[in-house]
Amino acid sequence: MLPKINRRQWPRHEKRYLVQVATSLASGSIPATVSNFSRGGLCFLHTEPLDKGAGVMIRLPQDLVGLSRDVRARVKWCVPFSTGGYAVGVQYEEPLRWTRYD
């Protein structure tokens, strides 16, 4: 078996956080649980599938990045999650300059 190659540009942090995710202005935002994050993106659990390439707005909490902020991201992948709902991987449109966990 070949070893798994890490293609990630930034270290991934395994932390659980609640964020607010908006898929459009009309839909408003809903809470989602983050399972891991980095400077370049994050993975969260969502109740509905999101299309690859779809834009989302994510409100990151103060204890994650030092101050609350909204970031734009694009869906890179979306797969059914074992306990229901969907795991969604997103890439920020602009990498975060820093997080509290660097």
Side-chain angles (χ1 to χ4, degrees):
M1 184 171 184
L2 294 173
K4 189 171 183 176
I5 297 171
N6 183 2
R7 300 183 324 249
R8 299 190 190 282
Q9 186 173 359
W10 293 285
R12 183 102 4 206
H13 303 282
E14 302 289 331
K15 301 271 186 193
R16 300 269 185 240
Y17 283 96
L18 281 179
V19 295
Q20 295 292 319
V21 176
T23 56
S24 72
L25 291 175
S27 70
S29 61
I30 63 167
T33 302
V34 170
S35 62
N36 64 63
F37 69 95
S38 75
R39 283 184 180 207
L42 55 81
C43 174
F44 63 87
L45 304 180
H46 199 268
T47 56
E48 298 180 18
L50 299 180
D51 293 331
K52 184 176 179 179
V56 295
M57 181 71 74
I58 302 169
R59 172 152 294 173
L60 299 175
Q62 179 175 358
D63 55 346
L64 181 64
V65 291
L67 65 151
S68 293
R69 67 175 65 186
D70 293 338
V71 296
R72 293 182 191 276
R74 293 260 166 225
V75 175
K76 298 299 280 183
W77 52 267
C78 179
V79 296
F81 193 64
S82 60
T83 59
Y86 297 85
V88 181
V90 299
Q91 181 177 14
Y92 306 136
E93 289 186 1
E94 293 183 22
L96 298 180
R97 294 197 195 327
W98 54 272
T99 72
R100 295 179 59 97
Y101 297 95
D102 284 342

